[in-house]
Structures are given as structure tokens and as C-alpha cells.
Amino acid sequence: MSNDRSAPMTDDEQRLHQLGYAQELARTMSGFSNFAVSFTIISILSGCLTLYGFGMNTGGPVMIIWGWPIVGLMTLFVGLAMAEVCSSFPTAGGLYYWAAKLAPSNGAAWSWFTGWFNFLGQVAVTAGIDFGAASFLNAFLDLQFGFSATPGHTILLFGIILVVHGLLNSFGVRLVAKLNDISVWWHIAGVLLIVGALVFVPDKHQSAGFVFGHFVNNTGWGSTFYVALLGLLVAQYTLTGYDASAHMTEETHDASRSGPRGIVMSILVSVVAGWVLLIGLTFAIQNYDGSLHSDTGQPVAQIFLDAVGTVTAKLLLLIVIGAQLFCGMSSVTANSRMIYAFSRDGALPGSAFWHKINHRTRTPTNAIWLAAGAAFLLGLPYLWNTTAYAAVTSIAVIGLYIAYVLPTLLRLLQGSNFQPGPWNLGRWSRPIGVVAIVWVVFITILFMLPQVSPVTASTFNYTPVAVLVVLGFAATYWFASARKWFTGPKVQGSEEELAAIERDLESI
């Protein structure tokens, strides 16, 4: 950083100082790059394709196609409510910082639990994305080199991918921002290429009646309504991770506008492009049951093979894998910034270590490796529980959405005391916030329920276990120790002390 500290501070730096923090991270991201991070983490080529097989069994085409716009609309309400708060408090801590500032009382406790749910959700999203990438890569390597799609092979690839993403993030935010910008166009072009191939190459397509109206229940449950609701996980898992725009605000220009826009635009663009992708893919199914029981371990890979032949299918798989790798890289970025901010305020065991900044790259390197390592641990149960992937995705949804909506709830309790930022909802703030809260309560209960019948050791949905373990740990830690010393987000110092921290970083 070569900024001259005698130069006047930017509005972004002034606002960050008002929030109590020094400009430690490099502020090099444009508004487009901020949008690109969230759009890349939502990654329609990752989420809805890795869970497509789950959707084929749990509701089938009708829920895959109609669940998407329904969930998309509800997600937009959640995102709009979040964006308004983000505009008021553009800091890397994001959700847990907002909770502390908006709570009418016990701000430290609200901040603590919001932060721990955000941490759980972020780690689970990273695990879900990179595990999905590993399973698609395994399907490709099976087709190309006969590297069979076994749980052991998938976990090996999962670990390698996480190491690569840790290394890429360690090289600095400029490289990550550049790759994210490329990722936006990779996703848009990828969707067009995949849908184009699936429209024009196959000799036959499914009927509109099948795509928009066929219901499938292979779960073992008798209730059509219950299974249809479970099928919403495909869309809701995909439409997560857009809190990344908030976590990157300390590295973004015009953060109080760029952050909120990044949240909302990433949801809107993903909902439209994702629906096009799902409709194109579902029309192209040649053999429904054959795709579900494919040797590749990935129903989408089999749909590609049946529809367009081996050579083109491999090319389409490479497009998907590329998108998933971009997605996982961005997820590690956002996850590490949340860990950095949470440990800056002393909330994680070993906070002093996780908060360290690499002076050469101006990135929180230790937080990056905690994000990757914790994600690997969450994916390991797949070795002995084949339903583990759906559970990891449920954990991601529940952890993130609870953290998303707690600041919205607190913002509503503030009423007219809330001071909106330059990007706000005006008189629509309350109704949008109420809808967001009701939706999150609904999906939190829904995705903890059993997904397959009969419930056995190998089909058990371990989502409630993971959520309770983290909640139990956070609660025990809080009551035993943290409530005595955790005061919520810390102020790093006076105006002069913040400037001194920035000078020290720039002199290195």
C-alpha cells in the first residue's frame, strides 16, 4: 500500500473509523467485484446441480422447477432486509457486528450467537461447495481415466480442492478479485453453453407437462406435501452465501452502497439464470431412473452423457467444475473475512492467532486455513454416511439464515431509532423484514426434519446434531466464560490510534 497518510481520508475510511476499526485490509475491490464475490458463492452451476439428484428423488421436476422462483422471491426479501442493514454498518464482521449495534439490550450476547451461527453456516457452505466440486470432478475423472466415484476418492479430491483454495486466497485479494470478475462471465457463458447444448443437440426432449408438472417421491415418506416441502432445499441451499458482499465491504470502494447492491443483484441475477439452467436441464433428461442410478455418482453427469454424448458431456462437466472451483475459492475468501473479524473482537478460541494479517499480502492467512480445515472436517462423515451431503447443505442453510435474520429482527425492534444508510428500503422496510423473518423460521424447522424414510444410522439427517453441537458449544462457552469478557465488537482505538495502525501496515 503506497497511500500517503497525509492525504485526506476517503469516505469509506472515515466510516470505518466511525465504526471503530482501522483500514487494515487492502481496499481494492470495485462494486462489480463485490457483486461478483456473492454471485460466485451463490453459483447456480454449483448449488442447484450438485443437489439436482436430491431434487429428482424429493419432489421431482415439478418441485425443482417451481420451487426455484418461490424460494427465489423469499430469498430476495431476506437479502433486501440484510442489504439495508449492511448500508448502515459496512464492516467485515457483517451480521454479528450488526446484531451488537442493533440490539436494544444484551448486545454482546446477540452478537456472540449471531456470529457463531454465521461461522457454522460459512464453514458448511464452503464444505458443501467444495464437496460438490469434488463429486463432479470425480465423475469427470471416472469418465476420462476410470478413477471410480467412491466415497474415499471423493473425500481425497475434496481435501485437495480445499488446499488449492487456501493457497489461492493466501496470495492476496487482488488475485481473488480478478478471478471473481472472470467467474461472473464464466457462469453466465457457462449457463448459455450448457442450456444451448441441451436444447439443440438431443434428438428428443421431455414434454412441458413432465417438466412443469411431474412429481416424484423416492424418499419413502407417504406425504406428498411433506416431500414437496423438503424439495425446496435444492433452491434454498443454492441461494445462500450472499453475505459475502457484507464481509468484503472493508475491501470495497463506496462500501455503503456497493455492499447492499452486491447482495441484492447477486440474488436477482442468480434467480433468473438459475431458472433458465434448471428448465433446460430438466427438458433434456433422457432416462430419469438411469440418471439417478448412474455409475458416475452424479445424476447431472449422466443427463449430459445421455443427451449430448460423451465428448460434449465431458466439456459441459468441465464448465460446471470450473464454476464450482471459482465458487469454492470465493467461499473461502468470505469465510476467512468473517473469521478474521470475529477473532479481531476476541470471540474465537485462539483469536490472537486467527486475527493475524500477513503483512506482505494484507490477507488474514491463518483465518483462511481455519476456514478450509473446518470445512474438511464437516465433509468427512460422507465416508460412512451417504446422506451426509444433504445434511451439510441443510446445516449451511440453517446456520446462515439464522445469522441473516437475527439482525433483521433487531432492526425491526429498533423501529424509528434505526439510522438507515444511503441504501435503504424506506417505508417497505418493516413488511419486507417481517416476511424475511417468517420465512427463515419456516425453513429452519423444515430442513432439520428427516429427509428419507425409514430413518436409520445411514440415512439419519445429522443437521440438528451439528446445529446443536455448535449452539451448545457457543452457549456453554458464553455462560462459563465469554459473558464475563466478550463485550461485542471492540473499538480498535481512538482516531490517532487507528491512523497509527494504518501507518504501521503501510511502512512494512
Side-chain angles (χ1 to χ4, degrees):
M1 293 268 293
S2 59
N3 291 355
D4 178 5
R5 263 300 139 208
S6 62
M9 280 198 299
T10 64
D11 290 345
D12 287 314
E13 288 170 333
Q14 283 181 343
R15 183 63 185 132
L16 190 59
H17 280 209
Q18 288 165 6
L19 297 173
Y21 296 119
Q23 184 68 55
E24 291 184 296
L25 301 168
R27 198 178 284 275
T28 55
M29 296 182 82
S30 65
F32 181 82
S33 293
N34 183 286
F35 151 78
V37 175
S38 283
F39 180 72
T40 299
I41 294 178
I42 291 175
S43 183
I44 49 180
L45 288 173
S46 177
C48 53
L49 295 191
T50 44
L51 270 188
Y52 192 83
F54 175 85
M56 289 175 76
N57 281 317
T58 316
V62 68
M63 287 313 300
I64 290 171
I65 301 305
W66 292 114
W68 185 264
I70 293 167
V71 170
L73 179 63
M74 292 296 142
T75 301
L76 186 60
F77 281 116
V78 177
L80 285 166
M82 270 176 65
E84 181 175 57
V85 181
C86 177
S87 183
S88 291
F89 306 109
T91 168
L95 312 161
Y96 84 88
Y97 183 98
W98 307 345
K101 296 301 179 189
L102 293 171
S105 60
N106 296 322
W110 282 100
S111 172
W112 176 266
F113 286 99
T114 302
W116 276 99
F117 273 114
N118 194 199
F119 175 67
L120 170 68
Q122 288 266 5
V123 168
V125 149
T126 302
I129 292 162
D130 275 357
F131 187 89
S135 68
F136 269 77
L137 182 58
N138 209 164
F140 176 81
L141 294 174
D142 188 13
L143 289 171
Q144 188 66 33
F145 305 110
F147 188 70
S148 57
T150 64
H153 284 167
T154 304
I155 291 291
L156 172 66
L157 293 170
F158 175 50
I160 292 169
I161 289 168
L162 281 166
V163 168
V164 170
H165 286 153
L167 289 170
L168 281 171
N169 272 281
S170 299
F171 292 138
V173 76
R174 285 179 191 273
L175 172 64
V176 170
K178 186 67 66 184
L179 289 170
N180 277 320
D181 292 352
I182 295 167
S183 164
V184 172
W185 304 112
W186 182 285
H187 275 82
I188 299 293
V191 168
L192 293 174
L193 281 168
I194 290 168
V195 172
L198 295 176
V199 166
F200 294 110
V201 176
D203 294 328
K204 73 179 183 74
H205 289 90
Q206 296 290 348
S207 68
F210 175 87
V211 172
F212 295 102
H214 187 61
F215 185 85
V216 175
N217 177 7
N218 293 332
T219 64
W221 294 111
S223 168
T224 299
F225 181 66
Y226 177 63
V227 172
L229 291 180
L230 289 177
L232 296 175
L233 180 61
V234 178
Q236 194 64 81
Y237 165 64
T238 307
L239 298 172
T240 53
Y242 43 85
D243 57 314
S245 286
H247 296 305
M248 302 307 290
T249 47
E250 289 183 33
E251 294 157 87
T252 304
H253 296 295
D254 193 17
S256 58
R257 290 181 181 84
S258 297
R261 283 183 195 136
I263 291 170
V264 175
M265 287 307 298
S266 64
I267 296 169
L268 281 171
V269 176
S270 296
V271 168
V272 174
W275 209 27
V276 171
L277 175 66
L278 288 172
I279 291 170
L281 184 63
T282 310
F283 266 112
I285 296 173
Q286 306 293 305
N287 180 346
Y288 199 91
D289 289 337
S291 299
L292 275 173
H293 303 104
S294 167
D295 291 338
T296 64
Q298 260 304 335
V300 171
Q302 193 61 48
I303 293 169
F304 288 169
L305 283 168
D306 295 343
V308 297
T310 305
V311 175
T312 310
K314 287 177 184 174
L315 286 172
L316 298 185
L317 273 178
L318 284 175
I319 292 171
V320 173
I321 293 164
Q324 292 170 340
L325 293 176
F326 279 126
C327 175
M329 179 199 67
S330 291
S331 184
V332 171
T333 308
N335 194 348
S336 65
R337 295 326 188 260
M338 188 270 154
I339 291 167
Y340 155 79
F342 207 32
S343 55
R344 175 171 62 186
D345 295 319
L348 289 175
S351 279
F353 182 74
W354 305 123
H355 170 233
K356 276 198 171 76
I357 294 281
N358 181 317
H359 292 306
R360 192 172 52 79
T361 60
R362 296 285 291 268
T363 54
T365 310
N366 296 349
I368 288 165
W369 290 106
L370 175 59
F376 184 71
L377 290 177
L378 204 52
L380 275 181
Y382 181 71
L383 287 171
W384 57 88
N385 180 345
T386 51
T387 59
Y389 181 67
V392 167
T393 58
S394 295
I395 294 163
V397 168
I398 290 167
L400 284 179
Y401 273 89
I402 289 174
Y404 286 1
V405 89
L406 286 175
T408 301
L409 172 66
L410 294 170
R411 183 256 167 278
L412 289 184
L413 294 175
Q414 284 261 326
S416 58
N417 292 329
F418 175 70
Q419 293 185 317
W423 193 103
N424 61 79
L425 299 171
R427 62 196 176 90
W428 292 101
S429 182
R430 177 165 287 276
I432 285 173
V434 169
V435 172
I437 291 164
V438 170
W439 178 249
V440 172
V441 170
F442 168 68
I443 60 173
T444 298
I445 296 166
L446 176 65
F447 297 141
M448 285 202 195
L449 300 175
Q451 294 166 335
V452 180
S453 177
V455 178
T456 65
S458 62
T459 63
F460 179 71
N461 179 2
Y462 75 93
T463 305
V465 177
V467 172
L468 285 172
V469 164
V470 170
L471 184 58
F473 174 78
T476 304
Y477 193 10
W478 173 256
F479 287 109
S481 168
R483 67 192 171 91
K484 300 178 188 133
W485 50 262
F486 182 74
T487 55
K490 291 176 185 172
V491 171
Q492 279 183 305
S494 66
E495 195 67 46
E496 293 74 25
E497 288 167 323
L498 297 178
I501 292 170
E502 290 162 359
R503 275 197 304 275
D504 288 345
L505 279 167
E506 282 158 15
S507 65
I508 293 166

